[in-house]
Amino acid sequence: MSETTIRRAGAADADRLTELIQASTAYRGDYAAMIDGYRVTPEYVARHEVFLASDPTTGRLLGFYGLIREPAELDLMFVADEAQGLGIGRKLIADMLERARAAGIASVKVVSHPPAEGFYLQMGAERTGTRPPQVKTPWEQPELRFTVKEFSS
């Protein structure tokens, strides 16, 4: 893949973002409950900073993230199955951290999908604890933090 465009998502993108989440094979089996019935709504996109990565030639959605500013948290982060391993996640994290830096945010919390913890650690996050089991996530989830000023791509 040559180029990737990252742009702010709009309300019209909400259904595409939902489709990407629902198609994710990372949330099959034991983890299916996490996304069961989950929808990215136009209201969510309007309320938070949601950015998507796409192939500029085809317009194909490759991944996206949602950044909540107060308190700063990476709320959503998904890369399309067929785009895994192409550096899309790395580009999305770099974009998120640059936007956080520009906004004066010192750190960004991540409550990770357990299999994704290694990716976040490789990207420079540090583990800060564990979120206890919840109704839709009856297992512990790693809690991590990106220290924005120390990030380098």
Side-chain angles (χ1 to χ4, degrees), residues 3-107:
E3 291 282 323
T4 301
T5 299
I6 297 178
R7 69 164 174 84
R8 181 92 186 236
D13 295 308
D15 287 342
R16 290 175 64 201
L17 302 178
T18 296
E19 289 170 12
L20 190 148
I21 289 172
Q22 294 300 323
S24 176
T25 58
Y27 291 87
R28 299 291 183 256
D30 292 341
Y31 298 116
M34 285 182 80
I35 62 166
D36 185 36
Y38 188 86
R39 297 196 50 78
V40 177
T41 64
E43 294 78 21
Y44 178 91
V45 173
R47 191 171 53 248
H48 303 297
E49 296 188 26
V50 181
F51 288 85
L52 60 83
S54 62
D55 180 317
T57 306
T58 65
R60 186 179 82 181
L61 177 62
L62 303 172
F64 75 98
Y65 71 85
L67 176 64
I68 296 174
R69 282 218 186 178
E70 279 297 320
E73 181 174 353
L74 180 63
D75 186 47
L76 297 171
M77 169 80 179
F78 283 85
V79 173
D81 286 354
E82 64 275 7
Q84 300 270 330
L86 301 176
I88 304 303
R90 178 174 291 282
K91 289 177 182 179
L92 287 169
I93 291 292
D95 186 79
M96 182 273 299
L97 291 170
E98 185 54 39
R99 291 178 193 280
R101 181 183 294 115
I105 295 170
S107 66

Side-chain angles (χ1 to χ4, degrees), residues 116-134:
E117 180 182 16
F119 166 75
Y120 292 119
L121 292 171
Q122 284 181 328
M123 292 301 302
E126 62 181 322
R127 187 157 189 181
T128 58
T130 304
R131 181 175 144 185
Q134 310 285 311

